[in-house]
């Protein structure tokens, strides 16, 4: 019997390494990135419906989000219906916890959770590989939100291979009441490279991840991971939002092993030693009026709850 409603979750991510190659002809950049899913999840509930609708609630302000057919969750559900030849629609409700336009792929997590939820609701049984192909058509980070855990992302970020990790890492996530547009941050990086005549030869044509970073993840070594955290978009994000620099410094002088801009920002991720260090850093940021929360990584990918 068809299900009446299905709930799925999908995680936000940080990039512990994000190397960006030159601009490609299709407007994207080749990247070499290590994604890590964190314990901050989106929750998507879908119900049978004739058409497609989207709504949002949750602890963060979602009032400005567009809920028409341009929303990624509606595009995700339509893509499953089309691939499976399914006639009906879905009412889609998202409980949002991952910051919007924050560099943590919250919108991608919404799409990934929607893919698995409608596939279950409609009994279309597309399977992981087809859902992953559909995910890649929706956005560069959507396949990772399906996959979860820790993965190397190549191409524009959608070509994934799993990365072995021991143990778990503690992070403090600092969010802001402003967002950054991903295309703007990539454009700022291109502008900077052009203005400083950074020869494309010196920008790795095939960007690569430090083997030391892979080793740090494999051995669960937070000290080594802190040393090799790297984000080529960080300077561009700091150029657009200079106040992020002060917050990075604040975190690093208040107990974090290292801080990094998450993806295209503006969310900051601070690697800390343990739960106590996380709690202390959250308290220090909160005392300055900033929004901070403690998360762990890696976390599972999109799944039915
Ligand atoms: O794939 P997604 O829709 O998330 O990408 C949003 C925008 O970010 C792209 O249109 C592009 O401007 C930029 N981008 C990029 N290179 C990537 C991923 C995203 O230039 N690898």
């Amino acid at each position: 019997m068809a299900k009446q409603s299905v709930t799925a979750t999908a995680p936000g991510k940080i990039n512990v390494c994000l190397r960006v190659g030159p601009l490609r002809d299709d407007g994207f950049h080749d990247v070499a990135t290590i994604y890590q899913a964190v314990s901050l999840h989106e929750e998507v509930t879908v119900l049978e419906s004739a058409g497609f609708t989207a709504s949002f609630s949750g602890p963060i302000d979602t009032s400005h989000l567009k809920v028409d057919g341009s929303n990624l969750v509606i595009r995700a559900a339509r893509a499953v219906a089309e691939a499976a030849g399914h006639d009906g629609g879905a009412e889609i409700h998202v409980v949002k916890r991952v910051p919007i336009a924050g560099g943590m792929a919250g919108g991608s997590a919404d799409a990934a959770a929607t893919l698995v939820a409608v596939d279950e609701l409609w009994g279309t049984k597309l399977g992981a590989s087809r859902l992953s192909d559909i995910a890649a058509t929706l956005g560069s980070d959507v396949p990772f939100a399906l996959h979860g855990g820790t993965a190397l992302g190549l191409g524009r970020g959608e070509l994934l291979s799993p990365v072995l990790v021991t143990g778990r890492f503690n992070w403090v996530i600092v969010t802001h009441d402003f967002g950054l547009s991903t295309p703007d941050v990539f454009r700022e990086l291109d502008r900077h490279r052009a203005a400083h005549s950074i020869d494309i030869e010196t920008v790795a044509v095939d960007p690569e991840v430090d083997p030391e970073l892979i080793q740090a993840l494999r051995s669960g070594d937070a000290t080594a991971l802190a040393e090799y955290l790297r984000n080529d978009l960080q300077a561009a994000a700091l150029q657009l939002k200079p106040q992020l620099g002060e917050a990075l410094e604040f975190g690093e002088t208040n107990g974090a092993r290292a801080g990094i801009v998450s993806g295209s920002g503006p969310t900051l991720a601070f690697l800390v030693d343990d739960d106590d260090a996380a709690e202390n850093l959250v308290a220090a940021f909160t005392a300055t009026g900033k929004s901070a929360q403690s998360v762990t990584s890696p976390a599972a990918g999109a799944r039915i709850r």
Side-chain angles (χ1 to χ4, degrees):
M1 205 181 84
K3 297 215 167 61
Q4 304 239 292
S5 87
V6 172
T7 298
T9 59
K13 60 83 185 163
I14 54 182
N15 304 74
V16 293
C17 174
L18 177 51
R19 307 296 315 271
V20 181
L23 179 63
R24 309 191 316 201
D25 290 343
D26 64 0
F28 288 88
H29 296 73
D30 272 321
V31 299
T33 187
I34 302 285
Y35 293 108
Q36 199 159 53
V38 298
S39 58
L40 189 60
H41 292 90
E42 302 287 73
E43 189 179 294
V44 174
T45 298
V46 295
L47 289 93
E48 291 281 1
S49 172
F52 291 87
T53 58
S55 58
F56 291 85
S57 67
I60 51 183
D61 179 18
T62 54
S63 55
H64 60 289
L65 290 179
K66 278 198 185 153
V67 291
D68 60 15
S70 67
N71 192 288
L72 211 51
V73 295
I74 294 189
R75 290 174 47 212
R78 281 193 198 280
V80 170
E82 196 173 310
H86 177 81
D87 269 347
E91 193 180 311
I92 307 162
H93 183 72
V94 182
V95 179
K96 221 171 196 332
R97 298 196 182 88
V98 179
I100 297 166
M104 290 186 70
S108 300
D110 297 342
T114 302
L115 291 175
V116 300
V118 292
D119 188 47
E120 175 77 8
L121 180 74
W122 298 330
T124 39
K125 296 194 172 15
L126 287 184
S129 149
R130 282 186 80 190
L131 288 180
S132 191
D133 290 346
I134 295 173
T137 68
L138 298 167
S140 308
D141 296 336
V142 185
F144 178 70
L146 269 184
H147 184 284
T150 305
L152 168 69
L154 297 176
R156 58 188 170 88
E158 87 286 18
L159 306 173
L160 301 177
S161 342
V163 169
L164 187 68
V165 173
T166 305
R168 62 166 205 176
F169 295 97
N170 288 78
W171 302 87
V172 169
I173 298 294
V174 175
T175 58
H176 304 278
D177 52 11
F178 54 86
L180 270 173
S181 135
T182 303
D184 286 356
V185 179
F186 275 103
R187 252 194 306 274
E188 176 59 27
L189 175 70
D190 293 336
R191 194 201 60 74
H192 175 87
R193 285 175 171 173
H196 294 269
S197 306
I198 295 177
D199 185 352
I200 223 67
E201 292 301 317
T202 67
V203 176
V205 174
D206 286 317
E208 285 174 2
V209 168
D210 280 334
E212 288 88 349
L213 181 115
I214 303 277
Q215 183 51 38
L217 291 167
R218 186 174 298 161
S219 55
D221 182 346
T223 311
L225 180 59
E227 202 175 318
Y228 291 103
L229 289 177
R230 167 151 191 175
N231 181 359
D232 286 352
L233 288 178
Q234 178 155 317
L238 291 179
Q239 187 67 35
L240 294 172
K241 296 286 178 190
Q243 62 269 52
L244 296 177
E246 286 156 39
L248 279 170
E249 205 170 311
F250 181 87
E252 289 179 351
T253 50
N254 280 273
R257 284 215 172 262
I260 194 168
V261 169
S262 173
S264 53
T267 302
L268 304 176
F270 293 93
L271 183 59
V272 292
D273 280 344
D274 50 30
D275 291 333
D276 285 346
E279 202 177 306
N280 291 339
L281 187 54
V282 168
F285 270 114
T286 308
T288 69
K290 291 226 176 327
S291 297
Q293 59 196 306
S294 132
V295 299
T296 59
S297 70
R303 52 178 53 192
I304 304 295
R305 216 187 48 188

Short mmCIF file of all heavy atoms in Angstrom, two decimals, residues 114-162:
data_model
loop_
_atom_site.label_atom_id
_atom_site.label_comp_id
_atom_site.label_asym_id
_atom_site.label_seq_id
_atom_site.Cartn_x
_atom_site.Cartn_y
_atom_site.Cartn_z
N THR A 114 14.75 15.18 -0.10
CA THR A 114 13.54 15.09 -0.91
C THR A 114 13.63 13.92 -1.90
O THR A 114 12.65 13.18 -2.10
CB THR A 114 13.31 16.41 -1.68
OG1 THR A 114 13.20 17.47 -0.73
CG2 THR A 114 12.04 16.35 -2.53
N LEU A 115 14.81 13.74 -2.51
CA LEU A 115 14.97 12.64 -3.47
C LEU A 115 14.65 11.29 -2.82
O LEU A 115 13.86 10.51 -3.37
CB LEU A 115 16.42 12.60 -4.00
CG LEU A 115 16.87 13.74 -4.92
CD1 LEU A 115 18.36 13.60 -5.26
CD2 LEU A 115 16.04 13.77 -6.21
N VAL A 116 15.24 11.03 -1.64
CA VAL A 116 14.99 9.72 -1.03
C VAL A 116 13.57 9.63 -0.47
O VAL A 116 12.95 8.56 -0.50
CB VAL A 116 16.04 9.35 0.06
CG1 VAL A 116 17.44 9.29 -0.51
CG2 VAL A 116 16.01 10.28 1.24
N ALA A 117 13.04 10.77 -0.02
CA ALA A 117 11.68 10.73 0.56
C ALA A 117 10.62 10.45 -0.50
O ALA A 117 9.76 9.59 -0.30
CB ALA A 117 11.39 12.06 1.28
N VAL A 118 10.68 11.15 -1.64
CA VAL A 118 9.63 10.90 -2.65
C VAL A 118 9.80 9.54 -3.30
O VAL A 118 8.82 8.87 -3.64
CB VAL A 118 9.51 12.02 -3.72
CG1 VAL A 118 9.01 13.32 -3.11
CG2 VAL A 118 10.80 12.21 -4.50
N ASP A 119 11.05 9.08 -3.43
CA ASP A 119 11.29 7.75 -4.00
C ASP A 119 10.63 6.69 -3.12
O ASP A 119 10.04 5.72 -3.63
CB ASP A 119 12.81 7.51 -4.11
CG ASP A 119 13.15 6.24 -4.86
OD1 ASP A 119 12.56 6.01 -5.94
OD2 ASP A 119 13.99 5.46 -4.37
N GLU A 120 10.69 6.91 -1.80
CA GLU A 120 10.04 5.98 -0.86
C GLU A 120 8.52 6.16 -0.88
O GLU A 120 7.76 5.19 -0.92
CB GLU A 120 10.60 6.25 0.55
CG GLU A 120 9.97 5.46 1.66
CD GLU A 120 10.44 4.01 1.70
OE1 GLU A 120 11.39 3.67 0.97
OE2 GLU A 120 9.83 3.23 2.46
N LEU A 121 8.06 7.43 -0.87
CA LEU A 121 6.62 7.73 -0.85
C LEU A 121 5.91 7.09 -2.05
O LEU A 121 4.85 6.49 -1.91
CB LEU A 121 6.41 9.25 -0.88
CG LEU A 121 4.97 9.75 -0.87
CD1 LEU A 121 4.35 9.58 0.52
CD2 LEU A 121 4.90 11.23 -1.28
N TRP A 122 6.52 7.25 -3.21
CA TRP A 122 5.87 6.77 -4.45
C TRP A 122 6.22 5.32 -4.76
O TRP A 122 5.70 4.76 -5.73
CB TRP A 122 6.29 7.66 -5.63
CG TRP A 122 5.89 9.10 -5.50
CD1 TRP A 122 4.81 9.60 -4.84
CD2 TRP A 122 6.57 10.23 -6.07
NE1 TRP A 122 4.77 10.96 -4.95
CE2 TRP A 122 5.84 11.38 -5.70
CE3 TRP A 122 7.72 10.39 -6.84
CZ2 TRP A 122 6.22 12.68 -6.08
CZ3 TRP A 122 8.11 11.67 -7.22
CH2 TRP A 122 7.36 12.80 -6.84
N GLY A 123 7.15 4.74 -4.00
CA GLY A 123 7.58 3.37 -4.29
C GLY A 123 8.25 3.26 -5.64
O GLY A 123 8.16 2.21 -6.31
N THR A 124 8.93 4.32 -6.07
CA THR A 124 9.53 4.31 -7.42
C THR A 124 10.86 3.55 -7.48
O THR A 124 11.34 3.24 -8.57
CB THR A 124 9.70 5.76 -7.95
OG1 THR A 124 10.12 6.61 -6.88
CG2 THR A 124 8.39 6.30 -8.49
N LYS A 125 11.47 3.31 -6.32
CA LYS A 125 12.66 2.45 -6.21
C LYS A 125 13.73 2.73 -7.26
O LYS A 125 14.21 1.83 -7.95
CB LYS A 125 12.24 0.97 -6.28
CG LYS A 125 11.35 0.54 -5.12
CD LYS A 125 11.25 -0.95 -5.04
CE LYS A 125 10.55 -1.51 -3.84
NZ LYS A 125 9.74 -0.67 -3.01
N LEU A 126 14.13 4.00 -7.37
CA LEU A 126 15.13 4.34 -8.38
C LEU A 126 16.52 3.82 -8.02
O LEU A 126 17.35 3.59 -8.89
CB LEU A 126 15.19 5.85 -8.60
CG LEU A 126 14.01 6.45 -9.35
CD1 LEU A 126 14.22 7.94 -9.58
CD2 LEU A 126 13.80 5.77 -10.70
N GLY A 127 16.79 3.65 -6.72
CA GLY A 127 18.09 3.12 -6.32
C GLY A 127 19.14 4.21 -6.20
O GLY A 127 19.02 5.28 -6.80
N ALA A 128 20.21 3.89 -5.43
CA ALA A 128 21.21 4.90 -5.06
C ALA A 128 21.90 5.51 -6.28
O ALA A 128 22.13 6.73 -6.34
CB ALA A 128 22.25 4.26 -4.14
N SER A 129 22.20 4.68 -7.27
CA SER A 129 22.99 5.20 -8.39
C SER A 129 22.17 6.18 -9.26
O SER A 129 22.66 7.25 -9.64
CB SER A 129 23.54 4.00 -9.16
OG SER A 129 23.68 4.29 -10.48
N ARG A 130 20.90 5.84 -9.52
CA ARG A 130 20.09 6.78 -10.32
C ARG A 130 19.77 8.04 -9.53
O ARG A 130 19.75 9.14 -10.08
CB ARG A 130 18.79 6.11 -10.81
CG ARG A 130 19.07 5.21 -12.01
CD ARG A 130 17.81 4.66 -12.59
NE ARG A 130 17.11 5.62 -13.45
CZ ARG A 130 15.87 5.41 -13.92
NH1 ARG A 130 15.22 4.31 -13.59
NH2 ARG A 130 15.30 6.30 -14.69
N LEU A 131 19.52 7.87 -8.22
CA LEU A 131 19.25 9.07 -7.40
C LEU A 131 20.48 9.98 -7.40
O LEU A 131 20.37 11.21 -7.45
CB LEU A 131 18.86 8.69 -5.97
CG LEU A 131 17.47 8.07 -5.80
CD1 LEU A 131 17.21 7.74 -4.34
CD2 LEU A 131 16.36 8.99 -6.34
N SER A 132 21.66 9.37 -7.38
CA SER A 132 22.89 10.15 -7.38
C SER A 132 23.06 10.90 -8.71
O SER A 132 23.51 12.06 -8.74
CB SER A 132 24.07 9.22 -7.10
OG SER A 132 25.20 9.97 -6.86
N ASP A 133 22.70 10.24 -9.82
CA ASP A 133 22.77 10.91 -11.14
C ASP A 133 21.81 12.11 -11.17
O ASP A 133 22.15 13.18 -11.66
CB ASP A 133 22.40 9.95 -12.27
CG ASP A 133 23.48 8.89 -12.48
OD1 ASP A 133 24.59 9.06 -11.95
OD2 ASP A 133 23.18 7.88 -13.15
N ILE A 134 20.60 11.90 -10.63
CA ILE A 134 19.63 13.00 -10.59
C ILE A 134 20.18 14.12 -9.70
O ILE A 134 20.10 15.30 -10.04
CB ILE A 134 18.25 12.51 -10.07
CG1 ILE A 134 17.65 11.51 -11.05
CG2 ILE A 134 17.30 13.70 -9.86
CD1 ILE A 134 16.37 10.85 -10.55
N ALA A 135 20.77 13.72 -8.55
CA ALA A 135 21.31 14.70 -7.60
C ALA A 135 22.31 15.62 -8.31
O ALA A 135 22.30 16.84 -8.11
CB ALA A 135 21.97 13.97 -6.43
N ALA A 136 23.16 15.04 -9.16
CA ALA A 136 24.20 15.84 -9.83
C ALA A 136 23.61 16.87 -10.78
O ALA A 136 24.22 17.91 -11.04
CB ALA A 136 25.16 14.91 -10.57
N THR A 137 22.39 16.59 -11.30
CA THR A 137 21.76 17.58 -12.19
C THR A 137 21.19 18.75 -11.38
O THR A 137 20.90 19.81 -11.93
CB THR A 137 20.60 16.97 -13.03
OG1 THR A 137 19.52 16.64 -12.14
CG2 THR A 137 21.05 15.73 -13.78
N LEU A 138 21.01 18.56 -10.08
CA LEU A 138 20.39 19.60 -9.24
C LEU A 138 21.41 20.56 -8.65
O LEU A 138 21.10 21.71 -8.36
CB LEU A 138 19.58 18.95 -8.11
CG LEU A 138 18.41 18.06 -8.57
CD1 LEU A 138 17.89 17.23 -7.41
CD2 LEU A 138 17.29 18.93 -9.16
N GLY A 139 22.65 20.10 -8.45
CA GLY A 139 23.69 20.97 -7.89
C GLY A 139 24.94 20.17 -7.58
O GLY A 139 24.86 18.96 -7.35
N SER A 140 26.07 20.86 -7.53
CA SER A 140 27.36 20.18 -7.36
C SER A 140 27.46 19.44 -6.04
O SER A 140 28.16 18.43 -5.94
CB SER A 140 28.50 21.21 -7.44
OG SER A 140 28.37 21.98 -8.60
N ASP A 141 26.80 19.95 -4.98
CA ASP A 141 26.93 19.35 -3.64
C ASP A 141 25.81 18.36 -3.30
O ASP A 141 25.84 17.76 -2.23
CB ASP A 141 26.90 20.45 -2.56
CG ASP A 141 28.07 21.41 -2.67
OD1 ASP A 141 29.10 21.03 -3.24
OD2 ASP A 141 27.93 22.55 -2.18
N VAL A 142 24.83 18.22 -4.18
CA VAL A 142 23.68 17.37 -3.85
C VAL A 142 24.08 15.88 -3.76
O VAL A 142 23.66 15.19 -2.81
CB VAL A 142 22.49 17.60 -4.80
CG1 VAL A 142 21.28 16.79 -4.35
CG2 VAL A 142 22.12 19.09 -4.86
N PRO A 143 24.94 15.37 -4.68
CA PRO A 143 25.35 13.96 -4.52
C PRO A 143 25.99 13.70 -3.16
O PRO A 143 25.74 12.67 -2.53
CB PRO A 143 26.34 13.73 -5.67
CG PRO A 143 25.91 14.71 -6.72
CD PRO A 143 25.46 15.94 -5.95
N PHE A 144 26.80 14.66 -2.67
CA PHE A 144 27.43 14.42 -1.37
C PHE A 144 26.39 14.39 -0.24
O PHE A 144 26.51 13.59 0.69
CB PHE A 144 28.53 15.43 -1.03
CG PHE A 144 29.08 15.16 0.34
CD1 PHE A 144 29.85 14.03 0.57
CD2 PHE A 144 28.72 15.94 1.42
CE1 PHE A 144 30.29 13.69 1.84
CE2 PHE A 144 29.15 15.62 2.71
CZ PHE A 144 29.94 14.49 2.91
N ALA A 145 25.39 15.24 -0.30
CA ALA A 145 24.37 15.23 0.76
C ALA A 145 23.63 13.89 0.79
O ALA A 145 23.19 13.43 1.84
CB ALA A 145 23.39 16.39 0.57
N LEU A 146 23.51 13.24 -0.37
CA LEU A 146 22.93 11.89 -0.41
C LEU A 146 23.87 10.89 0.24
O LEU A 146 23.47 10.04 1.02
CB LEU A 146 22.77 11.43 -1.87
CG LEU A 146 21.51 11.67 -2.66
CD1 LEU A 146 21.65 11.00 -4.02
CD2 LEU A 146 20.28 11.12 -1.94
N HIS A 147 25.15 11.02 -0.12
CA HIS A 147 26.19 10.06 0.26
C HIS A 147 26.56 10.16 1.75
O HIS A 147 26.62 9.17 2.46
CB HIS A 147 27.40 10.38 -0.64
CG HIS A 147 28.56 9.48 -0.51
ND1 HIS A 147 29.44 9.55 0.55
CD2 HIS A 147 29.03 8.51 -1.32
CE1 HIS A 147 30.40 8.65 0.38
NE2 HIS A 147 30.17 8.00 -0.75
N GLY A 148 26.84 11.40 2.22
CA GLY A 148 27.22 11.63 3.61
C GLY A 148 28.60 11.10 3.94
O GLY A 148 29.39 10.79 3.04
N GLY A 149 28.91 11.00 5.24
CA GLY A 149 30.21 10.52 5.68
C GLY A 149 31.31 11.50 5.31
O GLY A 149 31.20 12.70 5.55
N THR A 150 32.37 10.97 4.73
CA THR A 150 33.49 11.79 4.27
C THR A 150 33.80 11.34 2.86
O THR A 150 33.85 10.13 2.60
CB THR A 150 34.73 11.57 5.17
OG1 THR A 150 34.35 11.83 6.51
CG2 THR A 150 35.87 12.49 4.78
N ALA A 151 33.96 12.27 1.94
CA ALA A 151 34.22 11.86 0.55
C ALA A 151 35.10 12.87 -0.15
O ALA A 151 35.07 14.06 0.15
CB ALA A 151 32.90 11.71 -0.21
N LEU A 152 35.89 12.34 -1.07
CA LEU A 152 36.65 13.18 -2.00
C LEU A 152 35.69 13.57 -3.12
O LEU A 152 34.99 12.71 -3.66
CB LEU A 152 37.82 12.36 -2.56
CG LEU A 152 38.58 12.95 -3.75
CD1 LEU A 152 39.37 14.18 -3.33
CD2 LEU A 152 39.53 11.90 -4.35
N GLY A 153 35.61 14.84 -3.44
CA GLY A 153 34.77 15.32 -4.55
C GLY A 153 35.65 15.90 -5.64
O GLY A 153 36.45 16.80 -5.36
N LEU A 154 35.53 15.38 -6.86
CA LEU A 154 36.27 15.93 -8.00
C LEU A 154 35.27 16.46 -9.02
O LEU A 154 34.07 16.50 -8.76
CB LEU A 154 37.17 14.84 -8.60
CG LEU A 154 38.26 14.29 -7.67
CD1 LEU A 154 39.02 13.15 -8.35
CD2 LEU A 154 39.24 15.38 -7.23
N GLY A 155 35.77 16.85 -10.21
CA GLY A 155 34.90 17.48 -11.20
C GLY A 155 34.45 18.81 -10.63
O GLY A 155 35.25 19.57 -10.08
N ARG A 156 33.15 19.12 -10.68
CA ARG A 156 32.69 20.34 -10.01
C ARG A 156 32.29 20.04 -8.56
O ARG A 156 31.68 20.87 -7.89
CB ARG A 156 31.57 21.03 -10.80
CG ARG A 156 30.37 20.17 -11.04
CD ARG A 156 29.38 20.83 -12.00
NE ARG A 156 28.37 19.87 -12.39
CZ ARG A 156 27.24 19.65 -11.72
NH1 ARG A 156 26.95 20.34 -10.64
NH2 ARG A 156 26.38 18.75 -12.13
N GLY A 157 32.62 18.84 -8.09
CA GLY A 157 32.35 18.43 -6.71
C GLY A 157 31.42 17.23 -6.67
O GLY A 157 31.19 16.66 -5.61
N GLU A 158 30.89 16.86 -7.85
CA GLU A 158 29.84 15.83 -7.88
C GLU A 158 30.39 14.40 -8.05
O GLU A 158 29.64 13.45 -7.88
CB GLU A 158 28.84 16.16 -9.01
CG GLU A 158 29.16 15.66 -10.41
CD GLU A 158 30.28 16.42 -11.13
OE1 GLU A 158 31.08 17.12 -10.49
OE2 GLU A 158 30.37 16.26 -12.37
N LEU A 159 31.68 14.28 -8.39
CA LEU A 159 32.26 12.95 -8.61
C LEU A 159 32.89 12.48 -7.30
O LEU A 159 33.93 12.99 -6.89
CB LEU A 159 33.31 12.99 -9.72
CG LEU A 159 32.83 13.59 -11.04
CD1 LEU A 159 33.98 13.75 -12.03
CD2 LEU A 159 31.73 12.69 -11.64
N LEU A 160 32.23 11.54 -6.63
CA LEU A 160 32.59 11.22 -5.24
C LEU A 160 33.30 9.89 -5.09
O LEU A 160 32.99 8.93 -5.79
CB LEU A 160 31.31 11.15 -4.39
CG LEU A 160 30.45 12.41 -4.34
CD1 LEU A 160 29.19 12.14 -3.51
CD2 LEU A 160 31.24 13.58 -3.75
N SER A 161 34.27 9.86 -4.19
CA SER A 161 34.80 8.58 -3.70
C SER A 161 34.88 8.67 -2.19
O SER A 161 35.29 9.70 -1.64
CB SER A 161 36.21 8.28 -4.19
OG SER A 161 36.55 9.03 -5.29
N PRO A 162 34.51 7.58 -1.51
CA PRO A 162 34.54 7.62 -0.04
C PRO A 162 35.96 7.75 0.49
O PRO A 162 36.91 7.29 -0.14
CB PRO A 162 33.93 6.27 0.36
CG PRO A 162 33.77 5.48 -0.87
CD PRO A 162 34.04 6.31 -2.06
#
